[in-house]
Amino acid sequence: MLATAVSDSTALSHAFPALRARRLRTSAALRQLVRETRIDASDFIYPYFVVPGRGVRREVSSMPGVFQLSVDELVKDARQALELRIGGVILFGLPPAKDAVGSGAYDDDGITQEAVRALKSELPDLLVACDVCLCEYTDHGHCGIVEGDRILNDPTLELLSRMSVSLADAGADVIAPSDMMDGRVAAIRHGLDAAGHDEVPIMAYSAKYASGFYGPFREAAESAPQFGDRGSYQMDPANAREALKEVALDVAEGADIVMVKPALAYMDLIWRVKQATDRPVAAYNVSGEYAMVKAAARNGWIDERRVVLETLMGFKRAGADIVLTYHALDAARWLGE
Ligand code: PBG
């Protein structure tokens, strides 16, 4: 198909003035008619950071407009998200206490479990995904069990599986593992099925890179690693073919949706992953990408609305079916105007 398109345009290079590309741009109505990509509020997933307490609504300093919310505030906020008809929300929990094995992650009365139960009872039509990872729950801030300076793979799988089952028990609609341990999708699928949650899908953070763009998130989620970095489990930003390997492994293990993260500097991966799999593809427009836009907009250097909608359009054009983004609520409002 691509080959034909290229030779067509070569042939047409002789065609001016018969062919004028601007002809299809002469009015808003024509431009709308030939538009190749559309974005809609239902494409977006909005991330929430849930904290203990009541009446808590604390802005994240590096992410203007994003708040750590207690469960009661979360329910109020999410009601708006549902009214805006966004695709769904994804929850990140900040437990009251952290320990070496991230016990708060798989506590049936944990902060995220409580948030899911509240959302599903107050707003049953809202799609609630849960991030599955230990880093917000461990005192060392790593995504797995630590021994010395090593992050252990296999002992972590059991905990991720327990966390997933506990969140599905609480009512989570989608389980989204972001830890990057090998074999986690299979372990989680097995755990969910054994617990009777065979209909709960897994959205795997498949091609997740060790990225500087997660900086503001680590403030929001209070999850910065206390030693070292995540280079032994998250991917090297230099690698593209390896992303296809990660996607293939996750699909083989039972991933229903695959994700590329971050999004902006990885648009080539969104495209390549889309070509490589028949699973829906998600892109995570991460915290640092959001922070940059907000900072420039606050300085009056860019038109925030234009830049945000253009960026979200870019992710879809590149092949993303779903975009996780902190701009979701603003974008949904703008698209509805
Ligand atoms: C947890 C997790 C992270 C993000 C999503 N899940 C942080 C990390 O891997 O350090 C980043 C999201 C963002 O930056 O918006 N592992």
Side-chain angles (χ1 to χ4, degrees):
M1 219 182 96
L2 200 59
T4 322
V6 170
S7 59
D8 273 2
S9 49
T10 316
L12 292 173
S13 65
H14 305 290
F16 177 83
L19 185 91
R20 290 176 181 274
R22 288 183 56 189
R23 207 174 273 142
L24 291 177
R25 298 179 202 137
T26 49
S27 68
L30 263 173
R31 291 192 292 272
Q32 177 172 295
L33 188 68
V34 300
R35 189 157 295 144
E36 297 175 34
T37 311
R38 290 177 206 278
I39 51 174
D40 185 79
S42 63
D43 301 325
F44 309 139
I45 295 183
Y46 185 67
Y48 276 119
F49 300 98
V50 198
V51 295
R54 281 193 70 77
V56 183
R57 195 178 172 79
R58 211 162 34 228
E59 193 165 27
V60 178
S61 65
S62 54
M63 301 177 74
V66 172
F67 298 82
Q68 294 179 335
L69 301 173
S70 54
V71 172
D72 53 327
E73 291 291 320
L74 167 70
V75 171
K76 280 190 223 161
D77 213 275
R79 194 178 299 280
Q80 290 176 42
L82 183 63
E83 279 161 12
L84 288 164
R85 298 167 173 275
I86 70 163
V89 301
I90 184 164
L91 303 184
F92 297 90
L94 283 77
K98 305 182 188 230
D99 62 25
V101 292
S103 307
Y106 36 91
D107 174 354
D108 290 338
D109 296 318
I111 182 71
T112 317
Q113 286 81 352
E114 188 196 329
V116 175
R117 276 193 294 268
L119 286 176
K120 292 309 296 184
S121 84
E122 298 288 322
L123 310 166
D125 294 334
L126 181 69
L127 181 128
V128 179
C130 288
D131 185 87
V132 165
C133 188
L134 297 184
C135 64
E136 295 115 66
Y137 303 88
T138 51
D139 49 16
H140 46 69
H142 276 291
C143 305
I145 297 298
V146 165
E147 189 178 82
D149 59 359
R150 288 176 55 230
I151 317 305
L152 302 183
N153 194 86
D154 298 10
T156 304
L157 301 181
E158 161 68 18
L159 303 183
L160 296 169
S161 174
R162 272 171 69 184
M163 179 179 184
S164 303
V165 171
S166 174
L167 292 166
D169 284 346
D173 297 303
V174 175
I175 293 297
S178 69
D179 53 282
M180 289 303 276
M181 298 299 128
D182 288 325
R184 81 275 168 72
V185 173
I188 290 170
R189 184 71 271 158
H190 182 77
L192 289 173
D193 291 356
H197 294 300
D198 48 284
E199 290 190 341
V200 174
I202 296 175
M203 174 166 71
Y205 290 67
S206 300
K208 177 172 175 181
Y209 288 86
S211 171
F213 287 98
Y214 306 152
F217 173 94
R218 292 183 188 165
E219 181 201 338
E222 298 169 14
S223 65
Q226 299 302 303
F227 67 91
D229 57 30
R230 304 209 199 289
S232 75
Y233 42 106
Q234 298 181 348
M235 287 180 59
D236 180 343
N239 295 356
R241 291 164 65 224
E242 191 187 0
L244 303 182
K245 175 170 83 179
E246 285 283 6
V247 166
L249 285 167
D250 282 0
V251 167
E253 290 177 29
D256 301 283
I257 300 172
V258 293
M259 193 195 299
V260 174
K261 177 185 173 198
L264 262 184
Y266 299 83
M267 289 269 208
D268 56 326
L269 272 312
I270 299 174
W271 166 257
R272 288 174 72 161
V273 168
K274 183 59 173 271
Q275 307 310 306
T277 180
D278 60 3
R279 302 301 140 101
V281 175
Y284 200 138
N285 176 212
V286 300
S287 57
E289 298 169 0
Y290 175 84
M292 293 192 303
V293 170
K294 292 304 256 194
R298 282 193 159 189
N299 275 296
W301 294 340
I302 56 169
D303 174 341
E304 179 176 354
R305 173 178 171 149
R306 250 189 107 170
V307 166
V308 167
L309 293 177
E310 185 176 333
T311 303
L312 297 174
M313 180 71 81
F315 298 141
K316 272 207 94 178
R317 195 189 61 238
D321 301 293
I322 300 162
V323 181
L324 292 85
T325 178
Y326 304 95
H327 298 293
L329 301 183
D330 288 337
R333 256 177 231 117
W334 293 328
L335 290 168
E337 279 168 9

